[in-house]
Amino acid sequence: EAAVTQSPRNKVTVTGGNVTLSCRQTNSHNYMYWYRQDTGHGLRLIHYSYGAGNLQIGDVPDGYKATRTTQEDFFLLLELASPSQTSLYFCASSERQNTLYFGEGSRLIVV
Amino acid sequence: GDSVTQTEGQVTVSESKSLIINCTYSATSIGYPNLFWYVRYPGEGLQLLLKVITAGQKGSSRGFEATYNKEATSFHLQKASVQESDSAVYYCALSETNSNNRIFFGDGTQLVVKP
């Protein structure tokens, strides 16, 4: 069965702090995504990638960097975290236009 | 651009009653988009509930149904008799039949089933 694993599951950091969220998929999918989910906004796409070394900008990229180091691993980087980035973050993988497989989410609180 | 609209932020239904969660979409490509319903149970990630890729067809899963209505650009989710275990957040989504593999989500509808 498809598997997407996120870490950490929960993180608290201070304003200006540096945070890395990790995502690993064992599905052999080419596409990987980072979303944030906030009440009243649904899922908003931050960055996505269609292969190792590739990065595409999503709808809400400001304040976020991402890197796809291998087909399996996709990282989301917050280099100067702000309270507005407090959110629930989901990673997902897919093949072209097919079902998204999500991780269980990473809850980030920036104080 | 492409978008998905779910008008209800929360729906409350008594157990064994029927349910409808509304979803309409706007797609810019000439072809037909793929339409999805995802569900997020408390404490879990999102998972696919059902998917339909052909206009006019119906998808079904776990007692839920949704029909791809191209004329009305709708993909409403229905269930004849809900259970307390159906309480979750339901997301309607669309993917375009073009090269960028973007997937667009609605804001989600929280379903609360009262015993």
Side-chain angles (χ1 to χ4, degrees):
Chain A
E1 181 165 329
V4 178
T5 305
Q6 294 182 230
S7 64
R9 295 290 312 279
N10 294 281
K11 175 76 175 178
V12 179
T13 191
V14 296
T15 300
N18 193 319
V19 176
T20 298
L21 303 181
S22 303
C23 179
R24 166 163 284 199
Q25 56 106 354
T26 58
N27 310 322
S28 301
H29 288 161
N30 287 321
Y31 287 84
M32 294 186 74
Y33 308 79
W34 276 107
Y35 290 92
R36 61 178 289 172
Q37 196 253 308
D38 304 288
T39 303
H41 288 284
L43 283 154
R44 293 184 288 177
L45 183 64
I46 304 170
H47 290 296
Y48 64 110
S49 165
Y50 54 74
N54 175 264
L55 181 65
Q56 302 294 315
I57 295 172
D59 298 321
V60 290
D62 291 347
Y64 301 96
K65 294 183 179 179
T67 180
R68 181 90 177 268
T69 54
T70 65
Q71 187 183 37
E72 294 79 18
D73 297 303
F74 195 30
F75 299 93
L76 186 68
L77 312 170
L78 292 74
E79 294 182 332
L80 286 171
S82 74
S84 65
Q85 294 176 306
T86 293
S87 187
L88 180 59
Y89 292 88
F90 286 105
C91 177
S93 73
S94 78
E95 268 313 308
R96 186 180 174 81
Q97 293 170 18
N98 273 327
T99 303
L100 287 171
Y101 292 89
F102 284 87
E104 293 183 328
S106 296
R107 186 168 295 280
L108 174 66
I109 297 173
V110 184
V111 298
Chain B
D2 297 342
S3 65
V4 177
T5 301
Q6 293 178 243
T7 52
E8 305 107 339
Q10 180 169 310
V11 172
T12 302
V13 181
S14 297
E15 198 164 26
S16 80
K17 299 299 184 184
S18 64
L19 166 73
I20 181 165
I21 297 177
N22 294 309
C23 171
T24 57
Y25 67 89
S26 173
T28 55
S29 71
I30 295 173
Y32 300 130
N34 299 329
L35 299 177
F36 307 81
W37 278 101
Y38 284 84
V39 58
R40 181 174 161 235
Y41 296 104
E44 299 182 14
L46 286 83
Q47 58 185 275
L48 180 69
L49 179 60
L50 56 86
K51 166 184 172 181
V52 179
I53 64 172
T54 305
Q57 301 234 333
K58 178 191 292 185
S60 61
S61 174
R62 308 180 208 175
F64 289 89
E65 295 182 336
T67 300
Y68 189 151
N69 187 328
K70 174 178 175 288
E71 289 72 29
T73 62
S74 69
F75 192 54
H76 305 319
L77 183 68
Q78 301 183 72
K79 189 172 186 182
S81 175
V82 297
Q83 303 169 0
E84 205 171 344
S85 59
D86 293 326
S87 294
V89 182
Y90 293 81
Y91 295 91
C92 186
L94 167 161
S95 73
E96 280 280 26
T97 54
N98 60 20
S99 62
N100 68 9
N101 214 56
R102 285 291 309 273
I103 298 169
F104 299 86
F105 284 85
D107 287 346
T109 298
Q110 170 86 54
L111 171 63
V112 176
V113 179
K114 297 192 299 184

